[in-house]
Amino acid sequence: MEEEIRKEFMELLKLLDEGKLQEFKEKAAVCPPVDIAEGLEEITDGGRVLRVFRMLPKDISSDVFSYMTSDQQQLIAESATNAELRELVDDMFMDDTVDFLEEMPANVVKKVLQNTDENTRKTINQFLNYPENSAGSLMTIEYVDLHDYFTVRKAMDYIRRTGIDKETVYTCYVIDEKRRLVGQVSLRKLIIAPENACIRDIMETNLVSAVTTDDQEAVADDFRRYDLTSIAVCDKENRLVGIITIDDIVDVIQDENTEDIKKMAAIIPDDEEYLKTSTVSLVAHRLPWLLLLMISATFTSTIITHFEELLASAVALTAFIPMLMDSAGNSGSQTSVTVIRSMALGEVELRDWLRVLFKDLRVALIAGAALAAVNFLRMILFTSSGMMIALTVSVTLLCTVIIAMIVGCLLPMGAKRLGFDPAVMASPMITTIVDAISLLLKDTKAAMHGNPAAREHLHNAAALVGAACGSVLDTVTTDLPNFPTNEERPTGDNDIRC
């Protein structure tokens, strides 16, 4: 919480403690609801939280409530009288009410539903039945819908009469007699249009809409691609049932990015705030991946064991193992993060895998050659290594960078091809795989230039690693060129007859 906001909230509390209720309400009325909610989060005394909330002006209390933490929302819901709870729910937008109930235990949900009218209760139950993280669970029913036969004057009168209870009035959605979505019209266009103009004559028919079962991440992509501030949500018969506004999409984007970042760090995603998550829960979300990566890292030790005799006869090579593994891991991680982010933004599709491979291959050749040249000069000038050892390590470095970047670009696309989240193929997994490959390559070059007796071990290890890596790359590349492109969703019925 920023210091200025904290100071302003403390002044509000001081007014309340001094009994200056009228001055408290006047200052609270002009204070942003989200700032008041963050201030309440700083209060650890539940009784004081209730007192402050009950003293808030009625016209902002529901907005403040929607920004509060789920623990404080539960405290207020359990402590409120039936009349207070009924008034609170009536003042909240439907999407905020559903978000609140989804975080509450059964007894609180039951209490809330008992204090709502039959229509509201039916609507809430319908929202709760939509799939999690779908457009239906995200939408609100507080929107402006206009019939296509309205005149501009009638539409403006309707907006003035009902707009106070709508989440947004800047975009109005046009429906026919069967409530099918046929177009949209902006408030700006309504203001400048002649009063006797028909809505169907001035509306836009080429609009973007979502279906209730669409994934929220796909809806967020539509907002980004088409620069939307709201989007209509329809059922399977194209009947308008709700809208999603930009404020909810911002939360979705933040949640999706947080989930991807955790997956890229090999952590099972969760929705809890860090400081409110128990130690046991944190361990449960991190340990499975740590165990998997630890077990997969034994592959590296297997390679070292296979080349034990070679390393014993060329101890100088051992000192360069960390450098080779780190360079390979860093190269693979850079490539995988770039590809994963490009896929998330829709800049790269699965059908582009050959273009991605060719581009990263060129990058790998240039970057690998530069690293190998610098490393060769460093070893010759600043170490006592011989020419052959410097050449062996440098060539190995070039090969590991090339292979690491190839693996780094193909594995995320292979994961998506198999239906997994590409983010799981980020730094930890890539590093584990390319570490094993870099070790194999180093010992391969050493065996070629060093102890001939180690070549038999080399062939065995190469067969083992080649089989494993080959199966991964085969999985990545099988049938990728035949993958279909994403189809555009229908944008509504454009054939409108006046």
Side-chain angles (χ1 to χ4, degrees):
M1 188 178 182
E2 297 181 3
E3 192 61 34
E4 186 177 345
I5 299 176
R6 186 193 305 273
K7 183 178 179 181
E8 185 178 352
F9 183 75
M10 294 307 295
E11 291 177 357
L12 279 176
L13 293 183
K14 185 178 179 181
L15 291 174
L16 186 61
D17 293 338
E18 293 175 353
K20 301 177 181 179
L21 299 183
Q22 186 60 33
E23 191 174 350
F24 167 81
K25 291 187 176 183
E26 290 176 357
K27 285 187 174 294
V30 297
C31 186
V34 64
D35 291 347
I36 297 177
E38 288 185 5
L40 290 173
E41 192 174 348
E42 301 285 318
I43 303 176
T44 56
D45 183 1
R48 196 178 188 194
V49 171
L50 283 172
R51 181 168 180 262
V52 174
F53 182 79
R54 281 177 167 150
M55 292 297 106
L56 292 174
K58 297 298 182 183
D59 55 343
I60 70 166
S61 59
S62 60
D63 292 332
V64 172
F65 184 81
S66 64
Y67 286 112
M68 296 173 68
T69 64
S70 57
D71 292 338
Q72 291 186 336
Q73 287 179 335
Q74 181 177 346
L75 171 66
I76 292 172
E78 291 175 341
S79 305
T81 64
N82 290 340
E84 290 174 333
L85 194 56
R86 188 178 304 111
E87 182 178 2
L88 180 63
V89 173
D90 289 342
D91 289 340
M92 293 176 64
F93 289 118
M94 183 56 64
D95 57 337
D96 293 330
T97 303
V98 174
D99 291 340
F100 151 61
L101 291 177
E102 285 179 337
E103 301 295 330
M104 294 297 104
N107 63 309
V108 175
V109 175
K110 182 178 180 180
K111 181 179 179 181
V112 171
L113 293 179
Q114 287 175 344
N115 287 280
T116 57
D117 58 70
E118 184 177 352
N119 290 333
T120 303
R121 185 161 55 249
K122 181 180 178 180
T123 303
I124 291 175
N125 285 326
Q126 180 181 354
F127 271 72
L128 293 175
N129 286 329
Y130 284 120
E132 186 179 2
N133 298 329
S134 67
S137 66
L138 199 63
M139 69 182 184
T140 181
I141 59 172
E142 286 90 3
Y143 58 90
V144 177
D145 54 343
L146 306 174
H147 285 281
D148 57 356
Y149 57 80
F150 278 9
T151 62
V152 170
R153 174 182 293 178
K154 185 173 183 179
M156 292 298 293
D157 290 341
Y158 178 78
I159 294 172
R160 293 189 189 98
R161 189 171 64 253
T162 63
I164 188 66
D165 297 323
K166 308 304 181 182
E167 185 148 341
T168 181
V169 298
Y170 303 116
T171 302
C172 306
Y173 296 94
V174 185
I175 57 176
D176 61 14
E177 66 279 359
K178 295 182 179 180
R179 293 199 58 80
R180 291 177 299 188
L181 179 67
V182 293
Q184 68 181 26
V185 59
S186 65
L187 182 61
R188 176 179 178 272
K189 185 172 287 189
L190 288 174
I191 292 174
I192 64 178
E195 289 187 345
N196 60 349
C198 182
I199 292 297
R200 71 180 64 174
D201 295 330
I202 64 171
M203 68 182 181
E204 299 176 19
T205 57
N206 186 23
L207 72 162
V208 181
S209 63
V211 181
T212 53
T213 54
D214 286 347
D215 187 83
Q216 63 179 14
E217 193 169 357
V219 177
D221 287 340
D222 286 342
F223 269 79
R224 178 188 58 82
R225 173 176 296 183
Y226 300 108
D227 295 326
L228 303 176
T229 57
S230 64
I231 190 173
V233 182
C234 304
D235 60 14
K236 294 181 179 179
E237 283 74 37
N238 200 40
R239 292 191 296 261
L240 182 63
V241 294
I243 66 169
I244 299 174
T245 52
I246 187 63
D247 57 317
D248 295 314
I249 289 299
V250 170
D251 295 334
V252 169
I253 293 173
Q254 179 175 319
D255 292 341
E256 295 291 345
N257 287 341
T258 300
E259 179 181 335
D260 287 343
I261 290 172
K262 288 186 176 180
K263 286 181 178 179
M264 291 170 69
I267 300 175
I268 299 176
D270 64 341
D271 297 327
E272 293 291 330
E273 295 182 19
Y274 177 76
L275 293 177
K276 296 181 179 180
T277 307
S278 66
T279 302
V280 175
S281 180
L282 288 174
V283 171
H285 284 89
R286 299 181 188 183
L287 191 57
W289 268 106
L290 291 175
L291 287 172
L292 176 62
L293 294 173
M294 182 195 69
I295 294 173
S296 61
T298 58
F299 194 51
T300 304
S301 63
T302 302
I303 295 176
I304 295 177
T305 302
H306 271 281
F307 290 99
E308 186 175 3
E309 294 181 7
L310 174 61
L311 292 175
S313 62
V315 179
L317 292 175
T318 308
F320 300 104
I321 290 178
M323 183 270 293
L324 292 172
M325 295 174 65
D326 287 347
S327 297
N330 293 336
S331 301
S333 296
Q334 285 182 342
T335 305
S336 65
V337 169
T338 303
V339 172
I340 290 170
R341 188 57 183 165
S342 298
M343 293 171 67
L345 295 176
E347 299 172 352
V348 172
E349 302 290 342
L350 288 176
R351 55 189 172 86
D352 300 322
W353 72 277
L354 272 177
R355 295 175 59 192
V356 173
L357 177 60
F358 183 59
K359 180 178 287 291
D360 273 300
L361 183 59
R362 286 178 291 171
V363 173
L365 285 171
I366 297 173
L371 290 174
V374 171
N375 179 72
F376 182 79
L377 292 175
R378 179 188 66 85
M379 293 181 65
I380 294 297
L381 298 177
F382 302 105
T383 69
S384 57
S385 303
M387 180 73 70
M388 191 57 66
I389 291 181
L391 182 62
T392 300
V393 174
S394 298
V395 172
T396 303
L397 179 60
L398 171 62
C399 295
T400 56
V401 169
I402 293 174
I403 293 180
M405 288 191 177
I406 292 175
V407 173
C409 75
L410 289 182
L411 274 185
M413 303 188 81
K416 187 173 183 179
R417 170 69 174 82
L418 296 174
F420 298 108
D421 192 325
V424 302
M425 290 299 177
S427 299
M429 181 63 73
I430 293 292
T431 301
T432 303
I433 294 174
V434 300
D435 279 354
I437 297 175
S438 63
L439 273 178
L440 176 63
L441 287 173
K442 180 193 74 65
D443 292 333
T444 299
K445 297 297 181 183
M448 295 301 180
H449 297 288
N451 185 3
R455 292 180 184 174
E456 183 178 353
H457 296 288
L458 167 63
H459 293 308
N460 294 334
L464 179 64
V465 179
C469 296
S471 63
V472 173
L473 294 178
D474 286 342
T475 302
V476 171
T477 56
T478 298
D479 297 331
L480 280 180
N482 299 325
F483 219 73
T485 59
N486 292 332
E487 297 182 355
E488 294 288 335
R489 286 200 306 269
T491 57
D493 186 2
N494 295 332
D495 185 17
I496 302 172
R497 291 173 293 178
C498 297

